[in-house]
Amino acid sequence: MKWWPVGENCHVAPDDTDDYARRTRAIDRLGILLGPRVRRDVDLATYTTYKVGGPASLFVTAHSIDDLHAVSNALREHKVPVLVIGRGSNLLVADEGFDGLVLQLGDFAEEIVWPKRPAPSRVMAGGAVPLPVLARQCASHSLTGFEWGVGVPGSVGGAVRMNAGGHGSDIASSIESAKIFHLGKGIIANVAARDLGLRFRGSDLQSYHVVLSATFALSWGDQSASESEMSDIVRWRREHQPGGQNAGSVFVNPEPGGGSAGAIIDRIGLRGLRIGTAEVSSKHANFIQCDEGGSAADVADLMAEVRERVKGELGIDLRSEVRLVGFDDEIAADAGAQTAGNVETTLGTTRSLTALDKVFGPLVTDDTLGSATIAPPLPGDAVAELRELFADTGAIARPADATPSDEAPTDATPGDSPTPSDSPTPSGDTPVADVVDISSVTSRGATVGDSTPSPIVIDDSDHLLPHERPEGSATLTLDPTSPFSDASTAVPGAGGLADVISDRRLGRRAWWKRIARVRISPLIGFAALIGSVSLVLVVLASPIFAVRDIEVSGATYTDPLLLDKVRDSLRGASVFTADLDGAQRRLEGDPWVERARLSWYLPDRVVIEIDERTPVAWFVGVDNRARVLDFTGRVLDVLDGQPTQFVKIEGVGPNLPAGTVTTPVYQAAAQVAIALPPDTLKRLKHVTVNGPESLGFVLKTGTVVNLGAPVDIRNKLTIVQTVLTRQDPEFIVGIDVSGGQPIINNG
């Protein structure tokens, strides 16, 4: 068992029987291993369509395969629950959050590879690509067979994991293979569709499988026909399914012929049934809506209530396709759902191997080492020497012809020591000295007459504390070979070691040492300890030092709900024990917050100082929502409107959630937005991105500036500024500095 220091000269062994403490230590160490890749205490509500739930202890956005390998290596060191999320359209996160690692794929998994006629109509889409985006772009490339995806608000990876579907089709109808990263082994494999274990709203994919991409076999078709079909799907969903905060259909339809889950719930009249902040939709009985700022516990309770009533009145056992995160297994079982991110499924269980497991090979959970076999066999003398070198103490193995030194012949003269020639040497190149047993030497010396050296007596009674003094005096028997073992030196006064040394100064102690000799009654000491602890507890629990005044400064864009939660967690706690570090980590999990500082002041005040990141630009993603960036390219917020107070980056960019860092070309675009001189910035219309190697900007005069690849931006802007100061921009049509030298087009 390992021991961990908790104070100076004080070590306490952690309680390994406490699952919560053990998991907390593992999560902390995993976070240290992942370093800057990880964020702590990230609110998961913004990553799900239910918009409720607490924070994740650790959150990693993988921007490359290297990030996935780093997570895999760290998980092999510290085993914690893992949850891989896409767009969160089938997740319900507990209000308490998720004690584990949440992994999300970044922009590297948003690539789509399109075929060109007359090549086979095969499409490869990254695991982070939203299904509606893939469906619409398939139609624009005249590919048919994926129109149903326009109505499923999930990602490709999540859709493969649960075999998502709708409107008469699903993933299994077109998928050919999937590229999967195995977190437990750190390897990638292309898995055929037949080995994925796809079934109705399920598959054999576990928490340690990450879908990097999937390949779909579609058909060449007519673009207008596909777009018309998708319009019908969208219109039907708007007419028959509610919007707002929900995760789509809650319960899986029973076996064929059993009717839909929504119709079954309707039969017992549960539309409008409400528990707390959750309600069965009045528009579709298989949808459960959650109020804004609602509770995940209310949603889970309502799921369990609907399932219990249906089973009690109709005898039908409904199964939920919503995955519960951070809930107890009992609560999930009552709701008919599966729990996501369990540590058991993270590392594999004792379940029978599936075809998917056989692709990667089973996880080895036994860390013990097998016995080693040495081949060819060693020679006999080498084995004998190894046995002698590694034998237990006091049991040294010797050749049969060697006589142990402690078994002296009975006719040997006591006190005689053998000469080197008398001592047999074991076979081998390394001689081993005889073992001398001091007790046998002493016993043999005791049989000699007056010539036997007398025991040496040391009087140390003056140097011992009263409770340390033994009944008799200590004795020391010297080795017979010692020059001081001669009888002549054993006589007191002869100047040898046998003389008794008496120095009263050794017994003198300084006054502070004499205080230590005073014995205190254990009862008094225990009472003093109890009194001290009680005094400390009284001070800590005193309402005088309870946090009542919380001041916040510097918060403009910071999530107000997060600030309220932090205030609530601190209010009422003692200023001495309030978890300021935890509150700091939660605040810094907000994408807007660059740094948070918390300080306490007696008797009851806590000050929160927030340094926010500065927004400089924004662009529109393929989902038609705006992404606000700071100068580093970090996405600070995702908005439905257009934040005109910042510089616009023209062009459709990737769908990135808040907190992630966009591609290099958008990072450079954000830097252009703040690098231009004030007079040029006033004339700036927008920055343009037309591809990963095409960056530029347009002035209000209509002048188009082409910067090219997002490299050497400072020098390119210097050249452009020089041209603009020498010529009137009204007469410049374009400036091209992509090659390093300016090419000016004056029309």
Side-chain angles (χ1 to χ4, degrees), residues 168 194 245 376 391 454 552 697:
R194 64 178 178 274
Q245 298 181 183
S454 303
V552 180
F697 60 88

Side-chain angles (χ1 to χ4, degrees), residues 7-28:
E8 185 177 0
N9 300 326
C10 179
H11 297 77
V12 177
D15 183 9
D16 286 337
T17 62
D18 187 344
D19 291 338
Y20 175 79
R22 183 166 58 250
R23 181 177 298 181
T24 301
R25 289 194 301 274
I27 290 173
D28 289 341

Side-chain angles (χ1 to χ4, degrees), residues 110-124:
E110 293 184 349
E111 181 182 6
I112 304 176
V113 179
W114 300 104
K116 293 183 178 180
R117 294 193 184 193
S121 51
R122 185 176 292 110
V123 177
M124 187 187 74

Side-chain angles (χ1 to χ4, degrees), residues 41 547 549-553 558 562-571 573-589 593-601 605-611:
D41 297 323
V547 176
D549 183 11
I550 303 176
E551 299 179 8
V552 180
S553 63
T558 305
L562 177 61
L563 282 173
D564 291 340
K565 290 180 180 179
V566 170
R567 289 192 187 97
D568 292 341
S569 66
L570 297 176
R571 188 171 287 109
S574 172
V575 293
F576 300 109
T577 60
D579 186 12
L580 301 185
D581 291 338
Q584 176 186 351
R585 289 194 299 269
R586 294 182 65 183
L587 289 172
E588 291 179 349
V593 178
E594 182 176 10
R595 188 180 300 105
R597 295 180 297 275
L598 287 85
S599 307
W600 58 269
Y601 300 91
R605 188 163 65 102
V606 170
V607 175
I608 302 175
E609 300 173 278
I610 295 177
D611 295 337

Side-chain angles (χ1 to χ4, degrees), residues 175-407:
I175 187 171
E176 278 191 342
S177 64
K179 182 181 290 186
I180 297 176
F181 184 90
H182 196 301
L183 286 173
K185 291 178 173 292
I187 58 178
I188 300 174
N190 286 312
V191 182
R194 64 178 178 274
D195 295 328
L196 294 173
L198 297 175
R199 51 191 177 271
F200 188 72
R201 300 299 179 264
S203 71
D204 287 340
L205 291 171
Q206 303 295 319
S207 296
Y208 46 82
H209 293 132
V210 182
V211 179
L212 301 179
S213 64
T215 301
F216 302 96
L218 304 177
S219 301
W220 294 111
D222 181 68
Q223 177 179 351
S224 59
S226 295
E227 290 178 347
S228 176
E229 182 179 349
M230 288 190 297
S231 297
D232 291 340
I233 292 174
V234 172
R235 182 170 56 255
W236 184 92
R237 292 178 68 89
R238 288 177 177 173
E239 292 175 355
H240 296 86
Q241 295 179 356
Q245 298 181 183
N246 63 71
S249 297
V250 174
F251 296 102
V252 179
N253 293 336
E255 296 298 326
S260 68
I264 291 173
I265 298 172
D266 256 343
R267 286 169 57 185
I268 57 176
L270 295 184
R271 288 198 189 197
L273 177 64
R274 171 175 285 269
I275 293 181
T277 58
E279 181 182 23
V280 176
S281 172
S282 57
K283 195 171 187 179
H284 194 301
N286 200 20
F287 280 62
I288 292 181
Q289 301 284 108
C290 187
D291 298 341
E292 184 175 352
S295 167
D298 292 342
V299 177
D301 289 344
L302 186 55
M303 290 170 61
E305 179 68 18
V306 171
R307 182 168 175 264
E308 181 180 1
R309 291 197 186 185
V310 168
K311 188 172 184 179
E313 296 188 27
L314 303 177
I316 300 175
D317 190 4
L318 295 177
R319 178 173 62 90
S320 173
E321 60 183 80
V322 177
R323 304 172 70 201
L324 270 56
V325 178
F327 288 88
D328 293 337
D329 291 340
E330 183 178 353
I331 296 177
D334 291 342
Q338 294 181 346
T339 54
N342 286 346
V343 67
E344 292 79 8
T345 56
T346 300
L347 301 172
T349 63
T350 57
R351 59 182 174 83
S352 58
L353 293 181
T354 64
L356 180 59
D357 293 326
K358 294 176 182 177
V359 172
F360 291 97
L363 282 173
V364 178
T365 57
D366 186 4
D367 296 330
T368 58
L369 298 177
S371 58
T373 302
I374 301 176
L378 295 175
D381 56 346
V383 174
E385 184 173 353
L386 288 173
R387 286 177 177 173
E388 181 174 351
L389 290 175
F390 294 96
D392 295 337
T393 304
I396 296 180
R398 297 181 179 277
D401 58 348
T403 305
S405 61
D406 60 348
E407 296 180 2

Side-chain angles (χ1 to χ4, degrees), residues 706-707 712 715-716 719-720 723 735-744:
N706 181 20
L707 300 176
D712 202 19
N715 291 334
K716 293 178 180 178
I719 295 173
V720 171
V723 173
I735 304 174
D736 189 349
V737 292
S738 59
Q741 297 297 326
I743 300 176
I744 304 173

